[in-house]
Amino acid sequence: MIEGLIKKMFVHMGRKSGLLPALLVLALVIVAVLSPASQAAQEKRILVVHSQNPGYKLADELTRGIAADLRDEGASVKVHHEYMGLDSAEDPSDLQPFHDLYKHKFAKTHFDVIITTGNGAYKFIKMYRDDLFPETPVVFCGVEGIDKSRLPDAKLVTGVNDAVDIKATLDLALMLHPQTRRVVIINDATDIGRARHALIAKTTQAYKDGIAFVFLEDLDMPELLESVSKLGPNSLVLFSRFAFDKSGRSFEDGEAIAMIAGKCRVPIYGLSDRDLGSGIVGGMLTSGYQQGETASRMAVLILHGEKVSNLPVILASPNRYMFDYKQIERFKIDLSALPEGSIFVNRPSDVYSISRLAVRETAGVLAAALLMIMVLLYKLMKKQDMVRDLQTSVTKYQAIADNTYNWEFWLSPEGHFLYNSPSCQRITGYTAEEFYADPGLLQRIVHPDDRALLEDHRHDSTWKLGIGELKFRIVHRKGDVRRIQHFCQPVFDDTGKFLGSRGSNTDISERKLI
């Protein structure tokens, strides 16, 4: 526990100050002085099956939430991600190819827990779990339509419900716009859309007096845009979802609502945070991050021995009041009328507030670090020569690593970047800071055809001695494909403890063309 605390503190200080490599080396010395080598815990494995590919807002938010809680488990837990590239998987035949793939891919792999994100992945695991992963506990999140009458097998399946709160959003919208006489509901004709229609129709029965509710469904996008452009001042829009239009055209997260908001002259309220920042005012919104974090916490409890039957499905989705400050200003909504504790995006003062919070947080960390260093320096007084040599080595390492032409890196045992040389931006288009802030960024920019190859290589490189080599492709920020030659090798301390992987990536795209 002490080792983890020291490591987190120095990583935080390093990212703020730009001296991450130096502080990490110092942290390792401190841990060596304070803590005897501890026996490694038995490794656990988690399989995360995603309905959608990286890049979809809901999928990314669920993934961020899952990673937030699992990160504290360290090297004792290995997490493997599979992306199905489905939305709701309305046709069961869409799932059969994944069954055949995973049957072969994971024939010799045991997982201790499975986490699913989204309806498609949940349907798949519910259908094929007993064949592919018998007796393996399942935790779901991002799944709509779970109610008391449709609860899964409590012995092996639990999770957190993705339940929209239509009444809370409507109550707030009508309170903020008391002149409203017509509410237009935008929805699609998918399985989820039809379930939403029934739920909205039932909820709106309590509002019949003086307010007309009109559904805009099963329309082509041009028809929908024309309809919303004609809405008058006594109207509101409730945006449910619009993944497909009548002609079958699909829309990614935020795409449809952005088009609609561009034509609509009246406030639009929503049900999910995936649409926040794209045109809705806000509302009581489902939160992908909160659901992912909750599901991850449940999975960790199961890894530590908790029975699934003691973790009931959380039916009350962890929703939040969230708003887009730009839309609040656009429609001149009184901020004081919004619920206390509301979350805002695009609020100008957020930058200042976050900066103040970061300063206070950093100051506290620095104060604690300085106190710890003073104590440790007393313990290290007899090792002055070692400290002097260490300082010289750190300075040299910093200068060399930051000025290399290739992309030099150091990965932690958990697979997070501890160091990235600035040249990563030349090769990928993304800065070192972006890789630190988003642990899943590298996986997402790897060419889809090469992701499994890189994942297998990473697994092998954690236990095989010597230098590992791999060639794979990435998609540059500008959209072009780059070919990468990758070398890495595991790093161990004097006691044999695994400290992560040190490596180098070279852009060989031009070499391939020649």
Side-chain angles (χ1 to χ4, degrees):
M1 188 171 75
I2 294 175
E3 180 180 349
L5 179 61
I6 294 172
K7 182 178 176 183
K8 284 186 179 180
M9 177 166 54
F10 278 90
V11 167
H12 182 86
M13 291 169 59
R15 289 181 180 168
K16 296 288 185 182
S17 64
L19 297 176
L20 181 58
L23 289 171
L24 283 171
V25 175
L26 182 58
L28 291 173
V29 173
I30 292 171
V31 170
V33 173
L34 287 182
S35 306
S38 59
Q39 185 175 1
Q42 184 179 0
E43 181 179 280
K44 300 288 186 179
R45 291 182 178 273
I46 294 179
L47 173 63
V48 184
V49 185
H50 302 272
S51 299
Q52 297 174 318
N53 286 327
Y56 284 84
K57 186 173 181 180
L58 176 60
D60 290 347
E61 287 299 299
L62 288 167
T63 302
R64 280 202 320 115
I66 291 171
D69 216 63
L70 291 179
R71 194 174 297 123
D72 293 336
E73 294 300 300
S76 64
V77 176
K78 298 295 183 185
V79 183
H80 182 85
H81 294 267
E82 286 290 329
Y83 298 91
M84 301 179 71
L86 301 170
D87 185 13
S88 58
E90 298 186 20
D91 187 347
S93 64
D94 293 338
L95 303 176
Q96 182 63 44
F98 292 98
H99 168 272
D100 300 340
L101 172 64
Y102 296 161
K103 186 79 171 178
H104 171 74
K105 186 173 184 178
F106 299 123
K108 298 181 181 180
T109 305
H110 169 76
F111 292 103
D112 298 279
V113 179
I114 298 171
I115 299 176
T116 68
T117 71
N119 288 58
Y122 176 64
K123 284 184 179 180
F124 172 77
I125 290 297
K126 191 166 66 169
M127 185 179 298
Y128 293 116
R129 191 275 309 272
D130 290 342
D131 180 35
L132 298 175
F133 313 103
E135 300 300 313
T136 304
V138 175
V139 181
F140 63 83
C141 58
V143 179
E144 281 200 50
I146 301 295
D147 56 33
K148 292 182 179 179
S149 65
R150 298 175 59 194
L151 288 178
D153 176 12
K155 293 182 180 179
L156 287 172
V157 181
T158 187
V160 53
N161 192 21
D162 181 22
V164 295
D165 196 334
I166 299 163
K167 186 177 187 303
T169 295
L170 275 178
D171 284 347
L172 177 69
L174 294 174
M175 183 272 291
L176 294 174
H177 309 279
Q179 78 285 359
T180 302
R181 294 295 175 264
R182 189 173 188 236
V183 177
V184 174
I185 301 153
I186 297 175
N187 195 33
D188 62 25
T190 60
D191 280 352
I192 298 176
R194 287 189 286 271
R196 287 262 187 101
H197 180 109
L199 187 60
I200 293 170
K202 181 179 179 180
T203 303
T204 55
Q205 289 178 1
Y207 301 86
K208 290 294 184 181
D209 293 341
I211 300 177
F213 290 90
V214 179
F215 282 90
L216 292 182
E217 299 173 305
D218 200 24
L219 298 174
D220 287 329
M221 179 57 81
E223 296 177 293
L224 180 57
L225 296 179
E226 183 179 1
S227 296
V228 298
S229 69
K230 298 177 180 179
L231 295 179
N234 293 328
S235 297
L236 285 179
V237 172
L238 176 65
F239 182 80
S240 170
R241 56 178 281 123
F242 205 76
F244 296 91
D245 70 4
K246 184 178 180 179
S247 64
R249 177 185 174 186
S250 63
F251 301 91
E252 297 184 2
D253 291 343
E255 183 181 4
I257 184 59
M259 297 172 68
I260 293 166
K263 294 290 185 180
C264 189
R265 293 174 294 175
V266 301
I268 305 174
Y269 287 81
L271 301 174
S272 170
D273 70 346
R274 77 183 76 175
D275 303 313
L276 193 64
S278 298
I280 65 170
V281 173
M284 175 63 88
L285 308 182
T286 59
S287 169
Y289 181 89
Q290 295 294 332
Q291 290 182 39
E293 187 178 41
T294 303
S296 175
R297 197 172 298 123
M298 298 171 84
V300 169
L301 290 173
I302 294 171
L303 289 180
H304 288 285
E306 188 65 69
K307 293 182 179 179
V308 179
S309 57
N310 292 335
L311 300 171
V313 173
I314 300 175
L315 293 174
S317 183
N319 300 344
R320 300 284 186 86
Y321 279 111
M322 305 183 204
F323 301 94
D324 185 342
Y325 191 81
K326 289 183 178 179
Q327 300 298 322
I328 294 292
E329 283 195 320
R330 176 187 175 190
F331 294 106
K332 297 179 174 56
I333 297 171
D334 184 2
L335 281 174
S336 65
L338 300 179
E340 186 176 353
S342 295
I343 297 171
F344 294 89
V345 298
N346 295 325
R347 188 173 185 175
S349 60
D350 283 351
V351 176
Y352 174 66
S353 299
I354 291 172
S355 298
R356 288 177 57 188
L357 177 62
V359 169
R360 290 196 298 270
E361 184 181 286
T362 304
V365 171
L366 286 172
L370 288 172
L371 178 62
M372 184 175 291
I373 289 171
M374 290 175 66
V375 174
L376 294 172
L377 285 176
Y378 176 77
K379 292 178 178 285
L380 294 171
M381 285 180 65
K382 295 181 180 181
K383 301 180 180 180
Q384 290 298 319
D385 291 340
M386 183 190 73
V387 172
R388 195 177 303 111
D389 292 342
L390 176 63
Q391 290 173 337
T392 302
S393 298
V394 166
T395 301
K396 291 179 180 178
Y397 172 78
Q398 180 90 42
I400 294 171
D402 282 352
N403 291 278
T404 56
Y405 184 74
N406 291 334
W407 173 10
E408 307 296 329
F409 64 88
W410 179 4
L411 285 174
S412 73
E414 299 82 20
H416 303 144
F417 281 108
L418 297 178
Y419 176 73
N420 264 318
S421 64
S423 55
C424 66
Q425 185 173 8
R426 177 183 61 80
I427 294 175
T428 69
Y430 297 90
T431 65
E433 287 71 23
E434 289 177 285
F435 281 102
Y436 294 139
D438 186 355
L441 177 57
L442 176 60
Q443 178 72 12
R444 292 200 303 276
I445 68 173
V446 171
H447 193 283
D449 293 343
D450 294 348
R451 286 173 184 161
L453 187 68
L454 180 60
E455 187 67 29
D456 292 341
H457 171 78
R458 276 184 171 179
H459 176 265
D460 291 345
S461 66
T462 62
W463 59 271
K464 287 185 178 179
L465 297 177
I467 296 176
E469 180 179 357
L470 180 70
K471 291 180 181 178
F472 62 93
R473 293 164 293 173
I474 64 169
V475 180
H476 191 275
R477 189 171 209 151
K478 294 180 179 179
D480 56 309
V481 175
R482 301 284 180 93
R483 295 182 179 274
I484 302 298
Q485 185 167 30
H486 166 92
F487 295 95
C488 69
Q489 65 180 41
V491 180
F492 302 90
D493 65 11
D494 292 340
T495 68
K497 181 178 179 181
F498 179 55
L499 301 180
S501 300
R502 168 76 178 84
S504 177
N505 292 323
T506 304
D507 185 350
I508 60 171
S509 303
E510 294 185 2
R511 193 184 310 171
K512 284 287 183 180
L513 290 175
I514 294 173

